[in-house]
Amino acid sequence: MKLIDSHVHFPYMFKIKKDIEEPWLRHENEKWFKAWRFEKPIEISNFDEIAELWYQETLKYDIEKVVFVTSGGNENMINLVKKHPDKFIGYAHHDPSTKDAAEILEKSVEKGLKGYKILGPTVDTPLNDKSLYPVWEVANHFELPVLIHFGIMGAAGGIAYHVNINPLIIHDVAKKFRKIKFIVPHFGCGYVFETLNLCWACPNVYIDTSGSNQWMRWMPYEVNLEALFRKYRETIGSERIIFGTDSSWFPRGFCKAYLDEQIRAMVHVGYSDEEIDMVLYKNAAQVLELVP
């Protein structure tokens, strides 16, 4: 089984989280750790050590490529990829509304980065505003994958209302800039109906399966991974579904628990071995132009 983990965060330093004062928030945070049996983050301040830990994860789990979507800055990401270019792929990550955002993206690509990550609810300018078109023009020119987080931002207590929280905000952008491969992570993170509509209307929009997808808990109707894998395949086929874990800190490293859950769901839904291979490897390989 070939595997590309297409959604991994690489903070420059991993720190033990401080205690959360609000009892409900603390309870939810503890419940998440308990549910997935994750150990608390450990403090690792050495960049080279973190890079080596991630390299060892690729060997341990036979991962052909790890795609890091954040790394505490584009220069950090460029340096990270250079550590193990045979295993690491990096995305640029900066606010598209900032001055010179388009130029920053272009230079980052020229230095070896292969995509662009945006956190929608942290960008105050609407993503369909024409002031951002220079950024989309650069991404379109390089035919980049652009991964945009929509939906609630963060864990319990995060951002739940924002101009860029609904994935339909990029409808007109995706229609105009057709060479950009837009990727919506976490199955739309609560905005399932809207994301399905966006994918149906825009064939250059892909779905990323990453994370615990705990947003399923607070949906107004019952939803689970099997339902999501079934519904997205019915709408857009298995060709535009891309596996990712949303892994980040150590000691949890690569979130194999997420991989196991998603394979189980695909098998139960009736995905063929070929379709599973597409989700876990082939689709990402094509988006990243690793194969013809």
Side-chain angles (χ1 to χ4, degrees):
M1 179 183 70
K2 285 189 174 182
L3 180 64
I4 294 177
D5 192 344
S6 66
H7 190 147
V8 175
H9 294 275
F10 188 101
Y12 184 72
M13 181 184 295
F14 297 87
K15 294 183 177 180
I16 299 174
K17 294 183 179 179
K18 295 181 179 179
D19 291 337
I20 301 173
E21 297 298 329
E22 169 61 45
W24 177 75
L25 296 179
R26 184 171 62 251
H27 171 72
E28 285 298 315
N29 186 59
E30 291 172 350
K31 185 162 64 174
W32 182 79
F33 273 94
K34 183 178 181 180
W36 290 98
R37 303 180 69 182
F38 289 142
E39 297 179 62
K40 295 293 181 68
I42 59 175
E43 185 172 349
I44 305 174
S45 58
N46 186 290
F47 185 90
D48 290 336
E49 181 182 356
I50 302 172
E52 186 58 28
L53 284 170
W54 264 112
Y55 179 68
Q56 293 302 320
E57 292 289 271
T58 68
L59 302 179
K60 178 179 179 181
Y61 295 104
D62 194 23
I63 305 172
E64 184 164 322
K65 300 286 183 183
V66 171
V67 180
F68 295 103
V69 296
T70 61
S71 182
N74 293 347
E75 289 303 317
N76 281 340
M77 186 68 82
I78 292 165
N79 292 330
L80 169 64
V81 172
K82 289 178 179 178
K83 298 288 184 183
H84 294 285
D86 59 321
K87 290 290 188 180
F88 295 170
I89 293 174
Y91 281 13
H93 174 51
H94 56 276
D95 189 329
S97 66
T98 57
K99 183 180 179 181
D100 300 328
E103 182 180 353
I104 293 170
L105 179 59
E106 184 172 5
K107 289 182 177 180
S108 297
V109 173
E110 290 171 350
K111 291 181 179 180
L113 300 189
K114 301 296 185 181
Y116 187 30
K117 164 70 181 287
I118 298 172
L119 297 170
T122 67
V123 181
D124 290 336
T125 303
L127 292 176
N128 61 359
D129 192 285
K130 290 187 177 180
S131 66
L132 303 187
Y133 274 25
V135 173
W136 304 132
E137 287 166 358
V138 170
N140 195 67
H141 171 75
F142 288 105
E143 300 184 24
L144 294 178
V146 176
L147 188 148
I148 307 176
H149 178 105
F150 297 104
I152 193 165
M153 185 75 224
I159 301 171
Y161 177 79
H162 193 274
V163 66
N164 290 322
I165 208 166
N166 187 326
L168 283 174
I169 191 74
I170 64 164
H171 174 275
D172 294 351
V173 176
K175 288 283 192 182
K176 182 175 179 60
F177 299 97
R178 295 178 179 269
K179 293 182 180 181
I180 299 176
K181 304 147 191 170
F182 288 99
I183 303 172
V184 179
H186 319 300
F187 289 104
C189 203
Y191 287 79
V192 179
F193 176 69
E194 294 84 353
T195 307
L196 286 167
N197 274 265
L198 179 65
C199 290
W200 180 257
C202 305
N204 55 330
V205 176
Y206 296 71
I207 287 301
D208 162 313
T209 68
S210 63
S212 63
N213 289 300
Q214 68 167 329
W215 57 265
M216 296 186 294
R217 292 171 44 211
W218 57 78
M219 291 292 286
Y221 52 86
E222 288 297 321
V223 63
N224 54 43
L225 283 177
E226 291 183 22
L228 292 169
F229 274 109
R230 180 184 299 110
K231 183 55 64 176
Y232 278 101
R233 182 176 66 168
E234 289 174 353
T235 304
I236 61 175
S238 52
E239 297 85 358
R240 284 194 273 154
I241 303 174
I242 299 174
F243 165 75
T245 62
D246 205 15
S247 297
S248 56
W249 39 264
F250 283 89
R252 78 174 184 171
F254 173 70
C255 292
K256 187 176 182 295
Y258 296 167
L259 171 66
D260 294 339
E261 288 283 314
Q262 292 184 26
I263 291 178
R264 184 180 299 113
M266 286 189 282
V267 170
H268 285 173
V269 168
Y271 278 52
S272 67
D273 289 347
E274 172 65 17
E275 287 179 307
I276 292 174
D277 189 41
M278 290 167 65
V279 173
L280 298 182
Y281 177 80
K282 289 183 178 179
N283 295 340
Q286 290 179 350
V287 165
L288 294 165
E289 298 181 349
L290 300 176
V291 294

